Amino acid sequence: MKFKKTKFHGLVVIHPKVHNDDRGYFYESYKKPVFDSLGLSSDFVQDNQALSKKNTLRGLHYQLKYPQGKLIQVILGKVYDVALDIRRGSPTFGEYFGIVLSDENHKIVYVPKGFAHGYSVLSETAIFQYKCTDIYHPEDEHGILWNDPSLKIDWQTIQPHISKKDLGFSP
């Protein structure tokens, strides 16, 4: 695995070593000793998976009392993944990191606690999977409106399909 740091403290893009042959491919997507050696939180307590159709946009979600670090990958399809730094005092507060994740590029992103997160589906369907460092607490779920004009996020989709809950978030 290769770990590429970003300008966002603690946010890392992981390039696994993919072994391809005529049967398909194999790679390690997570290895606790490697994460621990890099100082990345690896105490994952919940795994989530979502199947979404093209132009679905989910987010931007976060928890305040129970913030979650996330290890994110796309099992099938292609998405544009966004992590928005909401850590007060951070030099990158209010800035976002965006990356295309797919079943072809096999990139994995580690997003530390203190980020709002969302993604838009670019392929016909996508299976999105992520590990969390804390469990989901519905009473602590918060969000930021996906098209907040101050963020200037290019979600790489036209006419996104968004849940009523996500449409109700404030900028």
Side-chain angles (χ1 to χ4, degrees):
M1 282 187 245
K2 288 186 193 174
F3 290 75
K4 183 178 177 191
K5 293 181 179 181
T6 67
K7 74 175 187 174
F8 298 85
H9 179 71
L11 195 150
V12 178
V13 178
I14 302 160
H15 300 264
K17 183 174 182 176
V18 181
H19 304 277
N20 290 295
D21 64 23
D22 60 349
R23 301 168 297 166
Y25 67 82
F26 169 85
Y27 66 88
E28 293 178 346
S29 59
Y30 168 72
K31 195 171 195 175
K32 184 173 176 44
V34 175
F35 275 66
D36 290 347
S37 73
L38 295 169
L40 301 174
S41 177
S42 61
D43 186 20
F44 298 111
V45 297
Q46 181 174 326
D47 282 4
N48 299 322
Q49 183 171 295
L51 170 69
S52 300
K53 297 177 183 178
K54 186 173 184 136
N55 296 322
T56 294
L57 194 152
R58 299 181 185 267
L60 294 158
H61 305 139
Y62 63 95
Q63 294 185 163
L64 284 174
K65 293 180 186 173
Y66 305 98
Q68 297 174 311
K70 296 177 180 175
L71 184 63
I72 300 164
Q73 62 184 318
V74 171
I75 305 304
L76 177 70
K78 182 163 85 169
V79 308
Y80 183 65
D81 190 72
V82 171
L84 173 68
D85 191 347
I86 58 172
R87 301 172 293 183
R88 297 244 182 242
S90 167
T92 52
F93 176 79
E95 295 181 40
Y96 76 91
F97 174 81
I99 187 170
V100 172
L101 302 176
S102 74
D103 62 354
E104 291 181 2
N105 69 22
H106 305 292
K107 291 179 183 175
I108 302 167
V109 176
Y110 178 79
V111 178
K113 295 176 182 180
F115 282 77
H117 178 260
Y119 62 93
S120 62
V121 178
L122 306 177
S123 55
E124 288 305 312
T125 58
I127 298 176
F128 187 89
Q129 186 170 324
Y130 58 105
K131 296 179 167 303
C132 301
T133 60
D134 205 332
I135 62 170
Y136 171 64
H137 292 268
E139 75 282 3
D140 189 34
E141 183 177 35
H142 302 276
I144 297 168
L145 191 61
W146 70 279
N147 63 350
D148 179 332
S150 69
L151 301 176
K152 298 179 179 144
I153 298 173
D154 176 4
W155 289 98
Q156 301 186 14
T157 187
I158 299 171
Q159 296 181 322
H161 180 69
I162 304 168
S163 72
K164 289 179 183 177
K165 177 185 75 173
D166 287 359
L167 288 172
F169 294 140
S170 299

